[in-house]
Amino acid sequence: MAVFRRISAALGQLLHDEAAPGIVLIVAAIVALALANSPTAHGWHALLHDPLPWTPVTRLASLHEWINDALMALFFFVIGLEIKREILSGELADASRRRLPVIAAVVAMAVPAAVFLGVVHNDAALHQGWAIPAATDIAFALGVLALFGRGLPPSIRLFLLTVAIVDDLGAIAIIAFFYTHDIDLGWLGAAAAILAVLVAINRFGVREWWVWPIPSALLWYATLQSGVHATVAGVLAALTVPLALDRRGDSALLRMEHAMVPFNGFLIVPLFGLANAGVELGDIGHDAMFAPLPIGVALGLLLGKPVGILLAVFGCEWSGIAQRPAGARTLHLIGMALLCGIGFTMSLFLAGLAFPTAPLLVEEAKLGILGGSIVAALLGGALLRLAARQQPAETQ
């Protein structure tokens, strides 16, 4: 019994450790790379991509499609819950506090896209990948921050979290407007009608959390059939879940977010990493590592993201629009900006959407994502560790 209690205590501590989801995601990526370059690579690829013997949704014919289009809709549902909570009662609720991270997030999506297009400008076929280096991976970045940033001002974590949330909102908009093709208006109308029902449920004051799963699943199905990427349905459904507190200080949104965050961080995102992070280096060849696509993605993450963040922070500070996070010195800001260059989950997802009929280009993009994210994580973590060890100083 003592052994079981110790295991239970260890698991409980793991679930509440902010670094844990990022660590699990890193392990999943390493396993995916190992499988993709092992003697079992063919079997692993077949498991993910071969048609399933039976599927209840004809559009999702393989395990890979179920992970990317169904499980990831749940991932985006949790992101939507988090975005709504932050907008209504969190860091994005106060206009004066959200000004700087929102500006920084917008600039730090535009600059990586510009860097990417600057690298690949001679090849029009690659231009569709402009959004790949635009978003920050929340779990990965916060995991690295928790591991290497102990002793830093709390404002650094809050700033990074807010930038990543706005990044995710921007990535969702990009998916909806730039990576949606061949719309079926009938199914799109059905999705709109279901969304209207969800909004009405909220407006009529229904507060029980169990009301949302079935119509949300129907919204996902209709959206999938319409041609709009089904993950958008996850966000839209989440935005209809009520945050209003009951007499116990609880709400449907808080209950669902609390229940789903561990499921998201310890199952959905690692499964996505396993299914998408594997790069078969033998098939690509070493020369591909220095091709324009991976170089553009890597530089977009490693150079474009931090430069965009720092330009926004220093520009807002210089112009008086907003002040830097409280207690943050320049070294803190540089380290944190580098962590924003970790684009793992969302970048992998966008790579698949950008080149749906060119698997070799997706593999090349993965090289850039993995390389840029790893270097950004190592450099950012090292600078934050150095900043944490230094004596408190005046703001530079």
Side-chain angles (χ1 to χ4, degrees), residues 295-319:
I295 293 297
V297 171
L299 288 180
L301 291 169
L302 185 58
L303 179 65
K305 289 296 286 188
V307 167
I309 294 285
L310 294 173
L311 281 175
V313 172
F314 295 139
C316 286
E317 190 174 41
W318 175 80
S319 63

Short mmCIF file of all heavy atoms in Angstrom, two decimals, residues 295-319:
data_model
loop_
_atom_site.label_atom_id
_atom_site.label_comp_id
_atom_site.label_asym_id
_atom_site.label_seq_id
_atom_site.Cartn_x
_atom_site.Cartn_y
_atom_site.Cartn_z
N ILE A 295 15.27 26.29 -43.52
CA ILE A 295 16.02 27.47 -43.07
C ILE A 295 15.07 28.62 -42.79
O ILE A 295 15.18 29.34 -41.78
CB ILE A 295 17.07 27.89 -44.12
CG1 ILE A 295 18.16 26.82 -44.23
CG2 ILE A 295 17.70 29.23 -43.75
CD1 ILE A 295 18.96 26.60 -42.97
N GLY A 296 14.08 28.83 -43.68
CA GLY A 296 13.12 29.91 -43.48
C GLY A 296 12.30 29.71 -42.21
O GLY A 296 12.06 30.66 -41.45
N VAL A 297 11.86 28.47 -41.97
CA VAL A 297 11.09 28.18 -40.75
C VAL A 297 11.95 28.38 -39.51
O VAL A 297 11.53 29.03 -38.54
CB VAL A 297 10.52 26.75 -40.80
CG1 VAL A 297 9.92 26.38 -39.45
CG2 VAL A 297 9.47 26.62 -41.89
N ALA A 298 13.17 27.83 -39.53
CA ALA A 298 14.04 27.92 -38.35
C ALA A 298 14.40 29.37 -38.04
O ALA A 298 14.35 29.79 -36.87
CB ALA A 298 15.31 27.11 -38.59
N LEU A 299 14.73 30.15 -39.06
CA LEU A 299 15.07 31.55 -38.83
C LEU A 299 13.84 32.36 -38.41
O LEU A 299 13.95 33.29 -37.60
CB LEU A 299 15.69 32.16 -40.08
CG LEU A 299 17.11 31.71 -40.43
CD1 LEU A 299 17.60 32.40 -41.69
CD2 LEU A 299 18.07 31.97 -39.27
N GLY A 300 12.68 32.00 -38.95
CA GLY A 300 11.46 32.68 -38.52
C GLY A 300 11.22 32.50 -37.03
O GLY A 300 10.86 33.46 -36.32
N LEU A 301 11.44 31.27 -36.53
CA LEU A 301 11.25 31.00 -35.10
C LEU A 301 12.38 31.59 -34.27
O LEU A 301 12.15 32.27 -33.25
CB LEU A 301 11.17 29.49 -34.86
CG LEU A 301 9.92 28.79 -35.39
CD1 LEU A 301 10.11 27.27 -35.32
CD2 LEU A 301 8.69 29.20 -34.59
N LEU A 302 13.62 31.32 -34.67
CA LEU A 302 14.78 31.66 -33.85
C LEU A 302 15.15 33.13 -33.92
O LEU A 302 15.65 33.71 -32.95
CB LEU A 302 15.97 30.80 -34.28
CG LEU A 302 17.26 30.91 -33.48
CD1 LEU A 302 17.03 30.57 -32.02
CD2 LEU A 302 18.33 30.02 -34.07
N LEU A 303 14.87 33.77 -35.04
CA LEU A 303 15.22 35.18 -35.22
C LEU A 303 13.97 36.06 -35.25
O LEU A 303 13.90 37.07 -34.54
CB LEU A 303 16.02 35.35 -36.52
CG LEU A 303 16.46 36.77 -36.88
CD1 LEU A 303 17.44 37.29 -35.84
CD2 LEU A 303 17.09 36.79 -38.27
N GLY A 304 13.00 35.68 -36.06
CA GLY A 304 11.83 36.52 -36.24
C GLY A 304 11.00 36.71 -34.98
O GLY A 304 10.59 37.84 -34.65
N LYS A 305 10.73 35.61 -34.24
CA LYS A 305 9.91 35.73 -33.04
C LYS A 305 10.55 36.63 -31.99
O LYS A 305 9.93 37.58 -31.50
CB LYS A 305 9.62 34.34 -32.45
CG LYS A 305 8.67 33.50 -33.26
CD LYS A 305 7.27 34.08 -33.35
CE LYS A 305 6.49 33.93 -32.07
NZ LYS A 305 5.07 34.33 -32.24
N PRO A 306 11.82 36.36 -31.57
CA PRO A 306 12.41 37.24 -30.56
C PRO A 306 12.59 38.68 -31.02
O PRO A 306 12.36 39.61 -30.24
CB PRO A 306 13.77 36.59 -30.25
CG PRO A 306 13.93 35.45 -31.16
CD PRO A 306 12.66 35.20 -31.87
N VAL A 307 12.95 38.88 -32.27
CA VAL A 307 13.10 40.25 -32.76
C VAL A 307 11.76 40.96 -32.73
O VAL A 307 11.67 42.13 -32.32
CB VAL A 307 13.69 40.24 -34.18
CG1 VAL A 307 13.55 41.62 -34.83
CG2 VAL A 307 15.15 39.84 -34.15
N GLY A 308 10.70 40.29 -33.14
CA GLY A 308 9.37 40.89 -33.09
C GLY A 308 8.96 41.26 -31.67
O GLY A 308 8.44 42.36 -31.43
N ILE A 309 9.18 40.35 -30.73
CA ILE A 309 8.84 40.62 -29.32
C ILE A 309 9.61 41.82 -28.81
O ILE A 309 9.05 42.75 -28.21
CB ILE A 309 9.14 39.38 -28.44
CG1 ILE A 309 8.24 38.22 -28.81
CG2 ILE A 309 9.03 39.73 -26.96
CD1 ILE A 309 6.83 38.32 -28.34
N LEU A 310 10.93 41.82 -29.03
CA LEU A 310 11.77 42.90 -28.49
C LEU A 310 11.47 44.24 -29.17
O LEU A 310 11.47 45.28 -28.50
CB LEU A 310 13.24 42.53 -28.65
CG LEU A 310 13.69 41.32 -27.82
CD1 LEU A 310 15.13 40.93 -28.17
CD2 LEU A 310 13.57 41.61 -26.32
N LEU A 311 11.23 44.22 -30.47
CA LEU A 311 10.85 45.47 -31.15
C LEU A 311 9.57 46.05 -30.54
O LEU A 311 9.48 47.27 -30.30
CB LEU A 311 10.63 45.20 -32.64
CG LEU A 311 11.87 45.10 -33.53
CD1 LEU A 311 11.46 44.72 -34.95
CD2 LEU A 311 12.64 46.42 -33.53
N ALA A 312 8.60 45.18 -30.28
CA ALA A 312 7.34 45.65 -29.71
C ALA A 312 7.54 46.19 -28.30
O ALA A 312 7.02 47.27 -27.96
CB ALA A 312 6.32 44.52 -29.71
N VAL A 313 8.27 45.46 -27.47
CA VAL A 313 8.46 45.88 -26.07
C VAL A 313 9.22 47.20 -26.01
O VAL A 313 8.78 48.16 -25.35
CB VAL A 313 9.21 44.79 -25.28
CG1 VAL A 313 9.59 45.31 -23.89
CG2 VAL A 313 8.33 43.55 -25.14
N PHE A 314 10.37 47.27 -26.69
CA PHE A 314 11.17 48.49 -26.62
C PHE A 314 10.49 49.65 -27.34
O PHE A 314 10.59 50.81 -26.91
CB PHE A 314 12.56 48.24 -27.22
CG PHE A 314 13.38 47.26 -26.43
CD1 PHE A 314 14.16 46.30 -27.06
CD2 PHE A 314 13.36 47.27 -25.04
CE1 PHE A 314 14.92 45.41 -26.34
CE2 PHE A 314 14.12 46.37 -24.30
CZ PHE A 314 14.89 45.43 -24.95
N GLY A 315 9.78 49.35 -28.43
CA GLY A 315 9.06 50.40 -29.14
C GLY A 315 7.94 50.99 -28.30
O GLY A 315 7.76 52.22 -28.24
N CYS A 316 7.18 50.12 -27.62
CA CYS A 316 6.09 50.60 -26.75
C CYS A 316 6.64 51.38 -25.57
O CYS A 316 6.08 52.41 -25.16
CB CYS A 316 5.25 49.42 -26.25
SG CYS A 316 4.17 48.70 -27.50
N GLU A 317 7.76 50.91 -25.03
CA GLU A 317 8.37 51.59 -23.90
C GLU A 317 8.90 52.97 -24.33
O GLU A 317 8.71 53.96 -23.62
CB GLU A 317 9.50 50.74 -23.33
CG GLU A 317 10.06 51.24 -22.01
CD GLU A 317 11.07 50.27 -21.43
OE1 GLU A 317 11.90 49.73 -22.20
OE2 GLU A 317 11.04 50.06 -20.21
N TRP A 318 9.55 53.01 -25.46
CA TRP A 318 10.12 54.28 -25.95
C TRP A 318 9.03 55.29 -26.27
O TRP A 318 9.17 56.49 -26.00
CB TRP A 318 10.97 54.00 -27.19
CG TRP A 318 11.51 55.25 -27.83
CD1 TRP A 318 12.59 55.99 -27.44
CD2 TRP A 318 10.97 55.91 -28.98
NE1 TRP A 318 12.75 57.07 -28.26
CE2 TRP A 318 11.78 57.05 -29.23
CE3 TRP A 318 9.90 55.65 -29.83
CZ2 TRP A 318 11.53 57.92 -30.29
CZ3 TRP A 318 9.65 56.52 -30.89
CH2 TRP A 318 10.47 57.63 -31.10
N SER A 319 7.92 54.82 -26.85
CA SER A 319 6.85 55.74 -27.26
C SER A 319 5.89 56.07 -26.14
O SER A 319 5.04 56.96 -26.28
CB SER A 319 6.07 55.11 -28.42
OG SER A 319 5.43 53.92 -28.00
#
